Amino acid sequence: MHLTSASVRWLAAAALAGSTQVALAELDTYEVWHKSGNCGDWSTLSQHDTWPPPRLDIATGEKLHVRLWGHGADLATDAKADKIHEWIADRGRSTDYPNAPIYGGQRLPKGYVTVAIEAKAEHGTGNRNVVVTWPFPGQPETIPVRIVSSCQGLTKAGLRHPPGSPTVSSGTISPISPPPTAVIGTPAPFVDLMPRATLDNIFRRVSNSGPVAVNGVSYLRVDDLWCSAFVAPASGSSSRNITVPNPVWGITNAGTAANGAAFTSQLRAGGAVLQTTTTAAGGLAPGATTGLVFIRPNSAARVIRFAIPQPQGCFVNPADTGFWEDPPLTVVVDAVPAGGAVVESNEANNSRAF
């Protein structure tokens, strides 16, 4: 990891003061079915298919449901698209998926979110993209859709078949095995620890935004919220000295049982451990999240806005005395000892970069 000289100063001060990103919505399969409206006799995908899907055809006047399966899928927050109706119909966790692993004699549940998609005459025809989002930065997924004018246009879909034809799946996932003759009770409780979905109050240049030159001086753009207290001037530039709130990180238990053992979590920057916290055995209930405040060694910054026609937004001057920005940060839960102290259903999501 490359750190700027300002980041190195930040880390050094943090050490004195406090002496691989993992995608949490890990989709793997999906299902599609006709919900209402036209073309109800045109069959849909009959089993789980591998994610991502091909472009899904939907006829005007028809509503489809698309169910996305994967770890963390049930934490979806929104579905958005232009020129087609879409919304989250339901979400949850279930064992009704192929090759569910067995833990303690019971099938482990997996998350799902069901997205309703409806095409009306006013939407026209053509390609649309339905974007599903989660509370994890950088984790949207796209369901590609094509609106056709009538049921006859569905013959090009591949996943839809005319009335009377056999239902065929294009997927490579084996169908769910018949259930055992014995009645399966409630799945065994499990623990799944992960970093809190967000790391709040990060102050750094906007990702993928290079320096902006104004009157021969290079400035860096930061999130516009840091300049929300004042408007752009009529001419020239204006600035404000602000105090950036300290970062808030934390830990979530996405499982169905409290942690059975004490565990240690860390906030890190590069190879430096900035903060460590220990959660007592039983201290994180199912679905619970804890937040921790990391006190920066410095939180004072000067932010700048420019008059039109200069670039609009919120900027900082890296030549300012005492300039700083937050370095790349990583939260690691159940970090010590190596391999962790808590037995979890999923160890792969114990680390997240911000």
Side-chain angles (χ1 to χ4, degrees):
M1 176 184 297
H2 174 71
L3 297 176
T4 64
S5 58
S7 296
V8 171
R9 293 196 301 271
W10 190 100
L11 287 173
L16 292 174
S19 299
T20 348
Q21 183 162 325
V22 175
L24 297 187
E26 299 168 352
L27 301 186
D28 47 49
T29 60
Y30 71 98
E31 300 172 274
V32 181
W33 65 92
H34 173 90
K35 184 63 177 178
S36 64
N38 302 340
C39 314
D41 52 353
W42 287 63
S43 58
T44 55
L45 183 69
S46 61
Q47 64 184 45
H48 291 244
D49 200 357
T50 53
W51 181 263
R55 192 166 291 278
L56 306 176
D57 280 20
I58 180 172
T60 299
E62 183 180 28
K63 183 194 297 181
L64 297 181
H65 275 194
V66 182
R67 178 164 289 173
L68 313 181
W69 289 86
H71 180 77
D74 53 312
L75 302 179
T77 56
D78 200 5
K80 296 181 179 180
D82 291 328
K83 297 184 180 179
I84 195 167
H85 287 165
E86 75 300 315
W87 64 94
I88 290 179
D90 67 7
R91 72 197 96 195
R93 297 171 69 85
S94 174
T95 60
D96 187 24
Y97 63 96
N99 306 317
I102 306 298
Y103 184 80
Q106 305 293 334
R107 293 165 66 97
L108 285 181
K110 182 189 293 185
Y112 67 85
V113 58
T114 305
V115 180
I117 303 174
E118 183 178 27
K120 294 190 173 183
E122 60 264 30
H123 296 144
T125 60
N127 293 345
R128 307 287 187 269
N129 288 318
V130 178
V131 178
V132 186
T133 55
W134 283 263
F136 323 122
Q139 300 302 323
E141 294 282 1
T142 298
I143 303 173
V145 177
R146 183 173 73 104
I147 304 176
V148 298
S149 59
S150 67
C151 300
Q152 298 306 313
L154 298 174
T155 56
K156 300 178 181 179
L159 302 180
R160 305 293 295 276
H161 305 279
S165 66
T167 300
V168 179
S169 170
S170 63
T172 58
I173 298 293
S174 301
I176 301 172
S177 301
T181 54
V183 176
I184 296 179
T186 303
F190 64 96
V191 180
D192 186 8
L193 306 175
M194 62 177 68
R196 181 174 177 265
T198 60
L199 203 161
D200 299 332
N201 304 330
I202 297 300
F203 185 78
R204 62 168 75 111
R205 71 192 71 186
V206 174
S207 172
N208 301 320
S209 176
V212 172
V214 178
N215 298 326
V217 178
S218 292
Y219 297 88
L220 302 175
R221 185 169 183 179
V222 295
D223 194 297
D224 289 351
L225 72 89
W226 303 119
C227 287
S228 60
F230 65 109
V231 299
S235 62
S237 66
S238 62
S239 66
R240 294 288 188 279
N241 293 320
I242 65 170
T243 299
V244 181
N246 287 309
V248 180
W249 61 287
I251 310 144
T252 294
N253 181 0
T256 60
N259 56 299
F263 66 93
T264 298
S265 303
Q266 295 177 335
L267 175 67
R268 301 174 179 174
V273 176
L274 304 180
Q275 191 172 9
T276 298
T277 185
T278 298
T279 304
L284 197 60
T289 295
T290 61
L292 299 104
V293 177
F294 172 70
I295 300 176
R296 283 193 197 88
N298 178 28
S299 288
R302 185 174 75 100
V303 293
I304 307 162
R305 299 192 73 170
F306 299 105
I308 297 174
Q310 299 297 348
Q312 296 300 289
C314 188
F315 297 88
V316 293
N317 185 346
D320 280 349
T321 301
F323 166 80
W324 62 275
E325 60 180 338
D326 288 321
L329 299 168
T330 302
V331 175
V332 185
V333 302
D334 200 12
V336 180
V342 178
V343 176
E344 301 180 55
S345 63
N346 182 12
E347 302 280 355
N349 61 358
N350 283 12
S351 175
R352 181 167 178 78
F354 296 91

